Amino acid sequence: MTPEQKLAAIFAQQAAPARDLVFMTVVAQRIARRRAVLSVLAGLPWALVAAVVLWALQPVLQRVWTGGGALEPVLGLLGLSAFALAAAFGAVRRLTPG
């Protein structure tokens, strides 16, 4: 037998696995890590905008919190409503297929 025939015989005996589970797991982890990083990066501009808006509204909010005793419950309810609305939108977005 020639060396090529011996090598062909060895390769003929060894069948390739149908699935390489280790490779698939590593690829899935890399895809998940990439998606996580991209989702965090997608939220950074919104966080920056929110920080700038809050920084710009700081003098107004300071006056409301120190001098407006009657506005505190209203602002608390508005904040709670905004949080509930954001949570509802997030839940609908996560639970909607597609």
Side-chain angles (χ1 to χ4, degrees):
M1 267 180 118
T2 66
E4 289 83 15
Q5 290 173 339
K6 288 180 184 178
L7 190 58
I10 290 173
F11 284 143
Q13 291 174 357
Q14 297 176 350
R19 285 190 247 161
D20 188 2
L21 296 178
V22 174
F23 174 75
M24 291 173 61
T25 304
V26 170
V27 170
Q29 286 176 345
R30 287 184 181 176
I31 290 172
R33 188 176 301 125
R34 182 170 184 252
R35 284 183 181 170
V37 167
L38 289 177
S39 66
V40 168
L41 290 177
L44 284 178
W46 292 107
L48 181 65
V49 167
V52 168
V53 167
L54 288 175
W55 175 75
L57 290 176
Q58 182 184 7
V60 175
L61 293 175
Q62 190 71 22
R63 279 191 217 145
V64 168
W65 286 115
T66 57
L71 290 178
E72 288 178 6
V74 174
L75 290 176
L77 286 175
L78 283 175
L80 183 62
S81 300
F83 178 75
L85 187 63
F89 277 131
V92 167
R93 190 171 175 203
R94 291 223 183 244
L95 296 176
T96 302

